Amino acid sequence: MEDIPSFSSLQEEVTFWKNKANELFESKETLQKDFDEFAEESKELEAELELQLDQAETKLSELGKVKQSLELENDRLKDRLQATTNEFSFTVNTLQEEVSEYSSKITDLQKYIRELEHNNDNLERANRAMMCSLEDFEKKLNEAIEKNALLENEVEDKAQLQCMVQRLKDESRDLHSELALIRRKSFNKRPSELDMSKNGVVNPETPVKTPGGTPLKDLGAGTPGNGLLNGVSPTTPIANKSALNIVGDLLRKVSELKERFEMYKSVP
C-alpha cells in the first residue's frame, strides 16, 4: 500500500481521495470486464471440455469394448496356441518315435542287406564250386561215355570172339575126333590105299571132314568142297597144330578182354 501523503488542506485531501476512488473504480471496471470475459471464456472452455470429455468417454467406452474384444481374442489365441503347441508337441513326439522306429528298421535292413550280400557271396562261391564240379562231372561223364562206348565195342568184339572161339572149339573138337579116327584107321589100311595116300590120292570111301565138321565125299571125282585148309589137309599134323594155335591165341585174347572189362567195371 502506498504511503499516504500529508495534506495541507481538507480540499486537497478530498481531491486526493476522490482521484484515488476514480482510479479504483476504473480498475474495478477493468477487472469486471476481464472477469466477464474470463467467465465467458471459461464457459466456452468448460463446454468444449465437457464435449471433449464426452468424446473421450465415448472413445474410452469404445476402447474398453475393443480391449475386451482383444482380450477375448487374446484368450482365444492363447487357447489356440496352447492347443497348437500340444498338437505340435504330440506330433513331434510321434515323429520322433517314427524316426526312431525307422532308424531301427534301417539298421535292421542294413544288417539284412549285409547278410544278403554275405549269402550272395557264399552262393556265388558255391555256384562257382558247383560249376567246377559240374565241369568235372561232365568231363568224367564224357570219359565214362567214351569208356562205355569202348566197352560196348569190346563187348561186341568179345561176343564175336566168343562165337568164333566156340566155332573154333567145335571145329577143334571135330578135328581131334577126326584125327583120332584117322589114326585108328591108318593101322588097318591096305597097301593099295597106302600107295594112293603116298601119291596124294584120297580114297573116296574114306570120310573127310572140313573144319566145320561137314563130311566131303568123292573128292577125287572133282566134287567141290572145303577139304583143304590153307593147302594142307585138316587131317595132317600141320593143320591140327595150326588150328590149336589159333584157338590158343583166341582164348588168350578172350582172357585179356575179360580182364580189361573187369578193370573198366572197377573204374568209378
Side-chain angles (χ1 to χ4, degrees):
M1 188 175 179
E2 296 180 357
D3 295 337
I4 298 172
S6 59
F7 300 103
S8 57
S9 62
L10 180 62
Q11 187 64 31
E12 184 180 0
E13 183 178 1
V14 170
T15 302
F16 173 79
W17 287 112
K18 192 174 181 178
N19 291 331
K20 195 72 173 174
N22 290 330
E23 291 177 358
L24 291 174
F25 182 77
E26 289 177 359
S27 178
K28 176 215 177 250
E29 289 294 331
T30 302
L31 290 174
Q32 185 65 39
K33 185 178 179 180
D34 292 337
F35 175 75
D36 293 337
E37 290 177 359
F38 177 76
E40 186 67 25
E41 291 176 358
S42 296
K43 287 181 181 180
E44 292 177 358
L45 181 62
E46 184 179 359
E48 185 178 356
L49 290 175
E50 287 180 357
L51 181 60
Q52 291 179 358
L53 181 61
D54 293 336
Q55 292 177 354
E57 289 178 353
T58 303
K59 188 174 182 179
L60 182 61
S61 178
E62 292 176 356
L63 291 174
K65 292 179 180 180
V66 172
K67 175 180 174 292
Q68 186 177 1
S69 176
L70 291 174
E71 288 178 350
L72 294 174
E73 182 69 18
N74 188 22
D75 294 336
R76 186 177 66 81
L77 291 175
K78 283 182 179 179
D79 295 336
R80 185 176 177 181
L81 178 62
Q82 185 66 33
T84 304
T85 303
N86 295 332
E87 183 179 359
F88 180 75
S89 299
F90 178 76
T91 304
V92 168
N93 293 328
T94 304
L95 290 174
Q96 287 178 350
E97 292 177 357
E98 291 179 356
V99 166
S100 300
E101 184 178 357
Y102 286 141
S103 298
S104 178
K105 288 182 179 179
I106 289 172
T107 303
D108 295 336
L109 287 175
Q110 288 176 349
K111 292 180 180 178
Y112 182 67
I113 289 170
R114 286 194 294 270
E115 291 177 357
L116 286 178
E117 290 176 351
H118 181 68
N119 293 330
N120 189 21
D121 294 335
N122 292 332
L123 288 175
E124 287 180 353
R125 286 193 294 271
N127 187 22
R128 288 194 294 270
M130 185 182 68
M131 293 300 293
C132 293
S133 300
L134 185 60
E135 290 177 357
D136 294 338
F137 178 75
E138 288 179 352
K139 184 177 179 181
K140 291 181 180 179
L141 182 61
N142 293 327
E143 292 177 355
I145 290 172
E146 293 176 358
K147 291 180 181 179
N148 190 19
L150 293 174
L151 288 174
E152 288 179 355
N153 294 328
E154 290 181 357
V155 167
E156 292 177 357
D157 295 339
K158 181 182 176 183
Q160 293 177 359
L161 290 174
Q162 285 178 349
C163 292
M164 186 181 294
V165 167
Q166 185 64 37
R167 182 172 59 81
L168 291 174
K169 282 182 179 180
D170 295 337
E171 291 180 357
S172 178
R173 186 175 60 252
D174 294 337
L175 287 173
H176 280 294
S177 298
E178 186 178 356
L179 182 60
L181 181 61
I182 290 172
R183 284 178 179 177
R184 284 195 302 271
K185 288 183 178 182
S186 65
F187 294 103
N188 299 323
K189 283 185 179 181
R190 293 190 299 273
S192 60
E193 293 177 352
L194 292 173
D195 293 336
M196 293 175 65
S197 297
K198 290 178 181 180
N199 294 326
V201 180
V202 180
N203 189 358
E205 295 180 356
T206 302
V208 180
K209 296 181 181 180
T210 64
T214 304
L216 296 176
K217 295 180 180 180
D218 301 330
L219 184 58
T223 304
N226 293 327
L228 298 177
L229 181 59
N230 294 328
V232 181
S233 174
T235 59
T236 61
I238 297 173
N240 188 18
K241 185 176 180 181
S242 177
L244 292 175
N245 290 332
I246 293 171
V247 171
D249 292 336
L250 292 174
L251 291 174
R252 186 171 58 255
K253 289 182 179 180
V254 169
S255 299
E256 291 177 356
L257 288 174
K258 285 184 179 180
E259 291 177 358
R260 292 176 64 185
F261 183 73
E262 294 296 330
M263 181 179 66
Y264 286 136
K265 286 178 65 179
S266 63
V267 176

